[in-house]
Amino acid sequence: MATTLPKLLYFAFRGRGLAARVSLFNALGKEGWIDERVSLPRYKKVVKPESDMNRVHGEYVTNNLPQLNLPCGLKLTQSHAIARYAAKLGDASTRPSHYCTDLYPTNPRDAALVDEAIAIVDQILLLTPKDIDPVLKEKNRVLYQKSGFLRVGMEVLEGRIAQSGGPYILGSKLSIADLYIRAPLCDLFELGQFEGVTKEFVDEFPLIKACGDAVMEHELLKAYKEAGFKS
């Protein structure tokens, strides 16, 4: 059914969808967009073609989620692109009372720092060893946290927060970068979903943990939760 509202499709957990959901809520409130939680059985039932030159018109454009379906017919993919788009929405005359300015900064330097942090989180997930052989995977994940990009990326994020004075990447100003640090990054550690990463490793980065905690205490996230959003 056609709708005049943007519709976000993602699963019923935070993952890569938190930044987009919070940004849409920030600009459009609870009723200005549709938060469609896709069940895993429904998602798995949809035929996902390996090759399709009309892919941009398919139900799931990239065979993955999140995806933002706009009233104009455009189906936007990639979580960071969706979050940036959503963070730029909102008419000054109709913004909700909980509106938080510049979730995606207009200042070029700040925007670059936000983009850097998001890219680092993406790279950490992308480059995580996923060997089929469990012994080899365990070995490579030890190296990944000892000297690989997991350590490099975490050290950069920790350093950026320290440079800003914290608790966020931009100091006291919340941005979509911090939402990505909260989820998926901190969630993976706290829920024990980052197999092979030790608690001792995570404890080396207290500012990242503090950033993730501060996100959930921000007034915008409190309003988001009070509006009935659980993830």
Side-chain angles (χ1 to χ4, degrees):
M1 180 182 295
T3 175
T4 58
L5 300 178
K7 179 191 293 186
L8 182 70
L9 289 79
Y10 194 57
F11 307 111
F13 49 77
R14 290 199 291 232
R16 292 177 180 269
L18 181 67
R21 282 181 177 138
V22 172
S23 296
L24 286 164
F25 172 74
N26 183 55
L28 304 176
K30 183 178 181 179
E31 306 299 334
W33 59 292
I34 299 170
D35 180 27
E36 184 163 316
R37 308 269 170 140
V38 179
S39 70
L40 288 174
R42 170 189 158 188
Y43 173 74
K44 290 176 180 178
K45 283 174 63 177
V46 173
V47 177
K48 304 176 185 67
E50 293 181 3
S51 177
D52 183 0
M53 295 304 292
N54 291 312
R55 183 176 295 280
V56 293
H57 303 294
E59 183 172 1
Y60 299 141
V61 173
T62 63
N63 296 341
N64 285 294
L65 297 176
Q67 178 175 298
L68 183 64
N69 295 348
L70 299 177
C72 65
L74 178 68
K75 296 180 177 181
L76 186 63
T77 73
Q78 308 306 311
S79 65
H80 38 79
I82 295 170
R84 289 187 186 99
Y85 168 82
K88 295 177 182 180
L89 293 176
D91 185 281
S93 63
T94 60
R95 286 169 178 166
S97 59
H98 59 250
Y99 183 79
C100 178
T101 60
D102 284 343
L103 276 184
Y104 186 69
T106 54
N107 177 280
R109 177 184 178 276
D110 289 350
L113 287 169
V114 168
D115 288 342
E116 177 190 57
I118 293 172
I120 285 172
V121 173
D122 269 356
Q123 283 291 93
I124 285 173
L125 301 182
L126 178 66
L127 297 177
T128 299
K130 303 175 181 67
D131 306 270
I132 296 176
D133 183 330
V135 175
L136 183 59
K137 182 170 73 173
E138 181 181 2
K139 176 184 176 182
N140 286 335
R141 290 205 173 188
V142 168
L143 293 173
Y144 193 50
Q145 62 188 302
K146 182 178 180 181
S147 59
F149 192 80
L150 176 57
R151 173 163 293 281
V152 172
M154 293 285 284
E155 288 176 348
V156 173
L157 293 175
E158 187 82 0
R160 293 300 188 214
I161 298 170
Q163 284 179 327
S164 77
Y168 306 118
I169 286 289
L170 299 179
S172 61
K173 185 73 181 71
L174 181 74
S175 73
I176 57 173
D178 309 299
L179 297 173
Y180 272 93
I181 288 172
R182 172 65 265 174
L185 189 62
C186 286
D187 278 4
L188 286 173
F189 296 138
E190 292 178 12
L191 297 174
Q193 295 175 341
F194 212 134
E195 184 183 350
V197 175
T198 64
K199 181 182 183 299
E200 290 74 18
F201 173 81
V202 177
D203 287 345
E204 292 183 45
F205 305 97
L207 296 182
I208 291 177
K209 183 182 185 306
C211 176
D213 291 343
V215 165
M216 301 312 296
E217 293 302 317
H218 193 278
E219 290 303 315
L220 174 59
L221 273 293
K222 290 181 180 178
Y224 177 78
K225 184 177 181 180
E226 289 170 2
F229 296 96
K230 295 181 180 179
S231 58

